[in-house]
Amino acid sequence: MEFDEHKAIDFIKERLKETRGGNYDDDQILNVIDIIWDFYEENGLLEIDFDEDLDEDDILDDLITYVKRMLAKDRGSDIHPNDITAIITAEIEYENSLEEI
């Protein structure tokens, strides 16, 4: 199945509805998704010959750091730093759900 931004946003918001993260609008969530995919692109993780043996925990730590840094630069972002990890984790869960289909 193909990645769908609207479905990803809905998936993330569903995962976060019990927390403060459920208060973010679609544009705020989409901004985080865009930053995640920028990270993937900058680090060659979208390449066909990408080394899938990389440690996912190391990538996740780097991804969280990257997203926090980018959001800190974005003066228009209202996403609380404590919610970033939950949003990223939910986005990755959405990506993984696509592989299961």
Side-chain angles (χ1 to χ4, degrees):
M1 205 167 166
E2 212 172 293
F3 189 92
D4 181 299
E5 289 177 346
H6 300 290
K7 289 180 182 178
I9 291 167
D10 291 342
F11 185 94
I12 293 167
K13 289 175 85 172
E14 179 65 27
R15 290 287 192 269
L16 301 177
K17 73 179 181 182
E18 298 297 321
T19 67
R20 174 179 139 78
N23 296 327
Y24 298 120
D25 66 29
D26 291 4
D27 288 337
Q28 292 168 309
I29 300 294
L30 182 58
N31 186 37
V32 175
I33 292 171
D34 288 343
I35 293 170
I36 291 169
W37 285 83
D38 288 345
F39 173 85
Y40 290 164
E41 185 173 3
E42 287 180 20
N43 290 282
L45 301 174
L46 298 177
E47 303 297 322
I48 292 175
D49 59 351
F50 150 69
D51 181 7
E52 294 188 24
D53 293 332
L54 293 173
D55 186 356
E56 286 185 28
D57 290 333
D58 288 341
I59 293 171
L60 182 60
D61 291 341
D62 291 344
L63 175 58
I64 292 168
T65 300
Y66 179 83
V67 171
K68 285 182 177 182
R69 188 174 67 242
M70 292 298 110
L71 288 175
K73 291 180 182 180
D74 182 356
R75 296 188 188 266
S77 175
D78 292 330
I79 295 180
H80 193 278
N82 292 339
D83 296 330
I84 294 171
T85 299
I87 294 169
I88 292 170
T89 301
E91 195 278 344
I92 291 171
E93 287 176 16
Y94 172 74
E95 288 178 37
N96 290 339
S97 76
L98 297 176
E99 295 173 7
E100 296 170 5
I101 296 175

